[in-house]
Amino acid sequence: MKSIVCIVLISFSISVAGAQNPVINTDSIPYYFNQVKQATRENIKIWDKDIYGPIMFVNPDTRVVYCNEPDKDSALVAKDGYYTGTLPKEISFQNTSLDWNGKTWATVVLPLPANKYQRIDLITHELFHSAQLSLGYDIGGSDNYHLDDKDGRIYLRLEIEALIKALKAKRLSLAEEHLRNALIFRRYRHLIYSGSQLSENKLELLEGLATYTGQMMSGRDKWQLREYLIDRLENYDKTPTFVRSFAYETVPVYGFFLYQKDNNWNKGITGETDLTEFFEEAFELDMRIILPSYVGQVAEDYHGRKIRDEETIRSEKNAITVNGLRDKFLEKPHLEIKLENMNMSFNPVNLIPLDVDEGTVYPTVRISDNWGILTVTSGGALLSPGQVWVVVSEPLEIKEDEVIGNGWRIELNKGYYLEKNNQGNYLMTKKK
């Protein structure tokens, strides 16, 4: 079974890739656990369930973990108010939910945010992921290749601009007009790209609801949350790619306004809900106005010309980057590895899609599998559609238990070796 660990994007001021040599005050850990426990209890009404459960803080340098309860295999040792041990190297980790030693852990990479709201936001986001099956959300995320395409980015940025204006509006009626315009840009994007409504919906159900939950449990009041959302959206265009990051921004804003209308709006969402249709009905969008000429007119109120000019320039530059990556991973000599039982962690904000049939380049990634552990620190790796294969550049050094390339390294397990084929490429092969 494949296990995918995705870094959760909570704030642009928080490092999503962890920190070097994190300073850890272990005396504060029990306090943080209790703080989160209190927050989830005070917010039971959000899901009619206390989502507090197993929590694991991980030191990224030492792999030492600090947990709020013991594991079922007794690998953790009790300390003063927490349990500690070392996570096996085969386990990839980031901010996520993680199945390990008989429990599903809300996993957070240290150091924790110093800001109380951000800290509780982050941890309860991951607690939602741990609890999502029990809440009825058996959902897998999806890549959205179209959101790295010029028009996909344009109409997402226009949606974001409309959401910003909705948050800044002085009257609710004006805010809802901006929300309807945001949904017009969304609907038009879905008309341009066939299948995009389904692929976007999967990620919004998976990460959008988790982000909404974390923000609602953070302890911010209405006005603090409003300013926080504005700050996030105004910085979102700096995100390298949107393919897996947009859902963290969209659903919380629609949810912010829906909460003003109905505190229990989220309880009407199931794993089968189409969130776009749900939002359109909630904000009374008239579907008859979704016409190209009208969309163009509306775009002028949201910096449409500026956004299009910026995205045209980016598209030209991105084409050069993508063609270079195609050459690197598909044309030049490389190493192809069949994924068998993989566990991976990656950063969702910098992925580079090539094509639906070619896959996505992950600039940095860690993959453990039956054949060993691949760590890519620079230069990237190409994962095929469906994540059946991973491709890295040509090996520079091949040893019995280690393979090294430019920006990557494999800790090779016994029973596997590299074989060169007639095309000059290498394949990971299992010894007979």
Side-chain angles (χ1 to χ4, degrees), residues 174-232:
L174 182 57
E176 291 194 345
E177 184 62 29
H178 290 304
L179 291 171
R180 285 190 284 272
N181 288 339
L183 290 167
I184 287 172
F185 297 132
R186 170 184 286 233
R187 176 60 73 178
Y188 191 66
R189 183 171 71 245
H190 293 165
L191 291 174
I192 296 174
Y193 298 98
S194 177
S196 61
Q197 185 166 339
L198 177 60
S199 63
E200 288 185 17
N201 194 60
K202 287 182 178 180
L203 195 63
E204 286 194 317
L205 286 170
L206 178 67
E207 296 297 352
L209 292 179
T211 306
Y212 173 79
T213 300
Q215 291 174 1
M216 293 300 291
M217 291 190 176
S218 68
R220 301 180 183 95
D221 63 30
K222 175 182 175 180
W223 304 111
Q224 289 171 321
L225 180 56
R226 173 179 169 272
E227 292 304 315
Y228 175 66
L229 291 171
I230 290 171
D231 183 63
R232 286 177 63 109

Side-chain angles (χ1 to χ4, degrees), residues 52-77:
Y52 189 80
I55 301 172
M56 175 188 294
F57 300 149
V58 187
N59 183 324
D61 298 319
T62 63
R63 304 183 69 86
V64 171
V65 299
Y66 308 89
C67 304
N68 63 335
E69 57 184 67
D71 64 307
K72 290 189 175 180
D73 293 346
S74 301
L76 300 175
V77 177

Side-chain angles (χ1 to χ4, degrees), residues 210-274:
T211 306
Y212 173 79
T213 300
Q215 291 174 1
M216 293 300 291
M217 291 190 176
S218 68
R220 301 180 183 95
D221 63 30
K222 175 182 175 180
W223 304 111
Q224 289 171 321
L225 180 56
R226 173 179 169 272
E227 292 304 315
Y228 175 66
L229 291 171
I230 290 171
D231 183 63
R232 286 177 63 109
L233 292 186
E234 288 186 333
N235 285 282
Y236 183 64
D237 64 336
K238 300 179 180 65
T239 307
T241 60
F242 301 158
V243 293
R244 286 193 67 96
S245 60
F246 74 97
Y248 299 90
E249 314 306 325
T250 53
V251 174
V253 180
Y254 292 113
F256 174 83
F257 287 102
L258 285 170
Y259 186 82
Q260 317 307 319
K261 298 162 72 76
D262 176 9
N263 292 357
N264 297 308
W265 74 270
N266 55 293
K267 297 175 189 174
I269 304 296
T270 72
E272 303 300 320
T273 299
D274 185 311

Side-chain angles (χ1 to χ4, degrees), residues 158 185 295-305:
L158 285 169
F185 297 132
V295 173
Q297 292 175 14
V298 176
E300 293 303 309
D301 294 331
Y302 300 98
H303 311 296
R305 196 167 301 178

Side-chain angles (χ1 to χ4, degrees), residues 313-373:
I313 294 172
R314 180 194 180 275
S315 180
E316 294 170 353
K317 292 180 179 179
N318 192 56
I320 297 173
T321 299
V322 168
N323 287 333
L325 292 172
R326 284 194 179 103
D327 184 57
K328 177 178 181 177
F329 293 114
L330 301 176
E331 302 299 331
K332 290 182 178 179
H334 55 260
L335 166 61
E336 300 178 13
I337 307 172
K338 181 74 176 293
L339 299 172
E340 301 173 356
N341 185 33
M342 71 112 163
N343 171 272
M344 67 179 287
S345 61
F346 63 95
N347 187 336
V349 304
N350 61 3
L351 308 185
I352 307 173
L354 299 188
D355 190 86
V356 175
D357 298 324
E358 295 171 333
T360 301
V361 174
Y362 291 62
T364 58
V365 67
R366 185 183 192 272
I367 299 175
S368 59
D369 207 317
N370 297 337
W371 37 263
I373 301 172

